[in-house]
Amino acid sequence: MALPLRALLLAAALTAPVASARSDTAPVITIADGALRGVNEEDVVAFKGIPFAAPPVGDLRWRAPQPVTPWQGVRDASLYGHDCMQLPFPSDAAPLGTPPAEDCLYMNVWKPQRRIAKLPVMVWIYGGGFVNGGSSPPTYAGVALARQGIMVVSFNYRLGRFGTFAHPALTKADADEGRLANYGYMDQIAALRWVQDNIAAFGGDPTNVTIIGESAGGMSIHALLTSPMAQGLFHKAVIQSGGPMPMGDATLAAAEAIGAAFGRKKGIAPDDPQALAQLRALPADAVVDGLNLAALFASGPRTHSSPIADGRVAVGSLDAYRAGRFAKAPVMIGATSDDIGGPAGPMVTGARTMAQLFARARVPTYHYRFSYVAQALRNGETKGAGHASEIPYFFDTVAVKYGAATTATDRAIARISSRYLVNFVQKGDPNGGELPGWRRYDPASPEIMDIGVEDSAKAVPDR
């Protein structure tokens, strides 16, 4: 049953955090690679720009993530590291906060300033079609969620032709013993290993880790749930508007053909003994070569490859699910009401199909639909909540997204959404407090939580 709007607004006001005085003493912690000095952000401590792998440049371009070189002294961790190399575009709903660069494998951590032992950990994986995105957009900041009693982690992973690339010369060199093409996924797995090895130093609980991703990030969650290399690195999963891989002809041979064609475009013959050195010598902008979300679906032959099912880093997720070869972790899964393709499109119907699959495998599954539209965006042509529009609500960053146009109802929906998420991160169940009750998904009697209906949230039939 939906809570009355007045009760939601009152709850939002009563539970809003009171900002504590900013401490003049910057926190310092020590991890395996060295000491870090973070920054106090009112009642939250943040550590940003932490390297979790060596810079993937020079001879490490198109290599699996390599270990960080330990540093001496105390490293400043008050600012984001560079987002990964890409071509940003003006209409991006989550504009980057840093200039992109090839040296980009950095991690960010937010935690409550008050001391809490063994904080549940949420790890965010951004979307952007595997060609755009980063951890620095202000709407992805973990401050508001950390205030609610969890630790928030975000990181960068390689994109575009840096993140997914194959070429006959790379296959012949085989420097990483068969791990080819899926460099962005390798970064994600390396980041999760870093969490297992280091998060306890921040006060996080490595035995209670939730991964969450939207769009390409949601697709990444499917890849991680089924990857042989990611097992044991997380314990719960949130999938937002992302379907299982692969996409199209996701084989090494197909990716090699695309990579060889790209090399020829740059004057590099695939059989040239120096082809790999020449490819790695290309300036980063030449590797991007105009690729971004705006150009992703241009007509003509494909000029870049998507993640592939190589059987080691990533497998065909649907086949693995049907065979029962996946991490049977509690799942929260959903899409927006006017997601890509509309109510009958692949995001909405795909979330339903996957919720059914998980539930039939006896995985605790919570299925949602996000239908709320910010009041500043409502007009006569509004059909529903668009793709990715739910993110500022789950992160409780709507005031960052909409600024002075943010309304009390916007904030109330953000409190509901973020509290459901925090509850799930804490205990694998979104229910708690005065939130509308959300029961596990049952294919025999399908019901979802509609977040935003009637400017509130309530359980409705899944249809």
Side-chain angles (χ1 to χ4, degrees):
M1 183 177 208
L3 288 177
L5 179 58
R6 179 182 294 180
L8 293 174
L9 298 177
L10 178 60
L14 293 176
T15 58
V18 178
S20 61
R22 183 182 295 270
S23 170
D24 293 331
T25 304
V28 176
I29 62 100
T30 300
I31 61 173
D33 297 313
L36 297 161
R37 179 179 289 109
V39 61
N40 292 307
E41 297 182 353
E42 296 179 342
D43 46 1
V44 169
V45 180
F47 297 85
K48 301 176 183 176
I50 309 165
F52 68 90
V57 300
D59 289 343
L60 297 186
R61 180 187 283 179
W62 303 310
R63 284 288 311 277
Q66 300 298 306
V68 171
T69 300
W71 57 86
Q72 301 297 314
V74 179
R75 181 186 179 100
D76 177 64
S78 62
L79 300 173
Y80 290 111
H82 288 286
D83 291 303
C84 286
M85 195 64 198
Q86 61 193 280
L87 177 63
F89 60 101
S91 61
D92 194 346
L96 302 180
T98 72
E102 200 171 352
D103 175 4
C104 65
L105 298 184
Y106 295 101
M107 179 84 63
N108 314 297
V109 177
W110 292 265
K111 56 176 285 187
Q113 197 173 75
R114 64 190 185 280
R115 190 175 184 84
I116 302 174
K118 291 191 174 181
L119 285 161
V121 180
M122 186 193 97
V123 181
W124 166 247
I125 303 176
Y126 53 78
F130 296 107
V131 296
N132 284 114
S135 65
S136 72
T139 50
Y140 298 168
V143 175
L145 292 177
R147 284 175 178 150
Q148 298 187 50
I150 65 172
M151 183 170 290
V152 180
V153 174
S154 66
F155 63 90
N156 295 328
Y157 62 93
R158 282 172 282 182
L159 300 164
R161 297 185 186 91
F162 300 96
T164 311
F165 186 78
H167 190 277
L170 279 167
T171 304
K172 182 178 180 181
D174 195 20
D176 296 306
E177 300 177 335
R179 290 177 292 165
L180 296 161
N182 291 318
Y183 303 105
Y185 280 162
M186 294 182 214
D187 295 341
Q188 294 177 11
I189 293 168
L192 290 175
R193 285 185 178 143
W194 184 96
V195 169
Q196 287 298 306
D197 292 342
N198 294 283
I199 209 65
F202 297 85
D205 184 356
T207 69
N208 190 4
V209 175
T210 301
I211 54 174
I212 171 175
E214 188 274 340
S215 197
M219 189 176 192
S220 298
I221 302 300
H222 285 295
L224 293 167
L225 280 165
T226 55
S227 170
M229 295 181 62
Q231 301 308 295
L233 299 181
F234 58 89
H235 312 94
K236 299 181 290 295
V238 181
I239 304 167
Q240 299 181 308
S241 302
M245 69 162 298
M247 297 164 54
D249 186 2
T251 63
L252 179 60
E256 279 184 324
I258 292 171
F262 174 76
R264 281 192 291 268
K265 179 182 177 183
K266 300 299 179 182
I268 302 169
D271 57 353
D272 188 324
Q274 298 301 312
L276 185 52
Q278 292 172 22
L279 285 164
R280 285 179 168 150
L282 289 173
D285 285 338
V287 176
V288 174
D289 200 31
L291 177 64
N292 64 10
L293 264 175
L296 191 60
F297 301 104
S299 59
R302 290 204 56 159
T303 63
H304 83 289
S305 55
S306 299
I308 70 167
D310 67 339
R312 296 190 62 188
V313 177
V315 302
S317 296
L318 269 179
D319 290 341
Y321 286 139
R322 289 166 179 159
R325 296 191 301 269
F326 66 100
K328 295 176 179 63
V331 171
M332 181 191 295
I333 185 167
T336 60
S337 59
D338 191 35
D339 218 315
I340 295 173
M347 296 299 179
V348 172
T349 60
R352 178 183 299 119
T353 298
M354 294 312 303
Q356 292 170 350
L357 187 152
F358 289 131
R360 287 173 179 145
R362 299 187 178 180
V363 170
T365 304
Y366 297 90
H367 185 17
Y368 74 86
R369 186 79 37 76
F370 187 88
S371 61
Y372 183 77
V373 177
Q375 294 194 350
L377 301 181
R378 297 182 187 184
N379 56 49
E381 299 179 358
T382 302
K383 296 179 180 179
H387 185 67
S389 64
E390 80 276 33
I391 296 174
Y393 295 90
F394 280 98
F395 272 82
D396 197 7
T397 53
V398 286
V400 175
K401 175 69 176 176
Y402 297 107
T406 308
T407 68
T409 309
D410 296 338
R411 294 187 181 93
I413 297 297
R415 294 295 295 175
I416 293 172
S417 306
S418 64
R419 193 65 238 176
Y420 275 136
L421 177 58
V422 168
N423 288 342
F424 185 80
V425 169
Q426 289 173 331
K427 54 191 174 69
D429 183 333
N431 291 287
E434 296 183 352
L435 290 169
W438 185 350
R439 67 182 179 90
R440 288 187 187 183
Y441 191 77
D442 180 358
S445 178
E447 184 177 275
I448 63 174
M449 180 56 64
D450 190 328
I451 302 174
V453 63
E454 299 172 5
D455 289 346
S456 182
K458 67 178 180 179
V460 299
D462 184 15
R463 57 173 180 247

